[in-house]
């Protein structure tokens, strides 16, 4: 009896997205190691934490594929991107990567919609919401460094910014959680 509840197309799209999340984890890991080697310990801490978060995303998709009775295909992960050239460039790369990941998630959502696979569509909504937070977090980093001077940031400002990042929470506040009393 066939208990596989995913079409071959959806299973492939989910496996690809699972690998993409693993790749994202490696990217954050490499940026974190770069940041640490440059003396940006706070930034490294933030990025190391985020590498773990991406691995959790990978695990969620892996578990979903298993639960739907399809085959998980663990493959090689592409090498991470080149190291950033500055902290400003690092945050730009983080933002670009998150937007790219959002587009990839939207493709899986569209596919599930076209196939009427409502279970996958519903599962993917968690990722749609998560990507809003991930993009917000990346935008906040860009805003912070822009205010601090971007590429022209002075060393003392760089020091404070890096120190702040160590305590920056893993998740941004979502719009749904905002009230008039708690903007
Ligand atoms: Fe798994 Fe940063 O998206």
């Amino acid at each position: 009896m066939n208990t596989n509840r995913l079409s071959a197309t959806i299973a492939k799209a989910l496996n690809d997205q699972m690998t993409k999340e693993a790749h994202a984890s490696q990217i954050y890991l490499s940026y974190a190691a770069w940041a640490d080697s440059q003396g940006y310990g706070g930034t490294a801490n933030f990025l190391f934490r985020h590498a773990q978060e991406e691995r959790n995303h990978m695990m969620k998709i892996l578990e979903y594929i298993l639960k739907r009775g399809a085959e998980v295909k663990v493959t090689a992960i592409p090498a991470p991107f080149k190291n950033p050239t500055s902290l400003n460039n690092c945050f730009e790369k983080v933002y670009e990567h998150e937007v790219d990941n959002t587009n990839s998630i939207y493709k899986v959502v569209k596919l599930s919609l076209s196939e009427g696979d409502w279970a996958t569509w519903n599962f993917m909504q968690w990722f749609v919401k998560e990507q809003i937070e991930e993009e917000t977090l990346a935008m906040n980093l860009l805003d912070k460094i822009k205010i601090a001077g971007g590429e022209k940031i002075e060393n003392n400002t760089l020091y404070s910014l890096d120190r702040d990042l160590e305590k920056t929470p893993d998740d941004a506040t979502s719009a749904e959680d905002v009230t008039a009393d708690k903007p």
Side-chain angles (χ1 to χ4, degrees), residues 21 24 28 50 53-54 57 97-98 101 105 127 131 134:
E21 300 291 345
Y28 278 102
H50 211 88
E53 196 158 316
E54 297 296 352
H57 295 169
H97 170 74
E98 286 303 340
N101 199 36
I105 281 164
F127 284 89
Q131 280 311 117
E134 300 267 289

Side-chain angles (χ1 to χ4, degrees), residues 97-166:
H97 170 74
E98 286 303 340
V99 171
D100 175 65
N101 199 36
T102 300
N103 291 334
S104 176
I105 281 164
Y106 286 176
K107 278 188 195 154
V108 186
V109 174
K110 269 190 199 157
L111 207 57
S112 61
L113 181 73
S114 70
E115 288 200 11
D117 179 346
W118 306 121
T120 300
W121 186 89
N122 185 54
F123 170 70
M124 289 307 294
Q125 295 312 302
W126 185 91
F127 284 89
V128 170
K129 186 166 186 284
E130 179 68 10
Q131 280 311 117
I132 299 174
E133 287 185 29
E134 300 267 289
E135 286 185 14
T136 304
L137 204 59
M139 273 186 234
N140 289 347
L141 290 179
L142 274 180
D143 283 348
K144 272 186 191 160
I145 198 141
K146 204 194 297 169
I147 291 165
E151 290 290 348
K152 296 197 178 89
I153 185 168
E154 306 264 346
N155 277 347
N156 54 345
T157 320
L158 197 50
Y159 175 80
S160 316
L161 179 73
D162 181 61
R163 195 188 45 198
D164 286 355
L165 275 175
E166 184 149 8

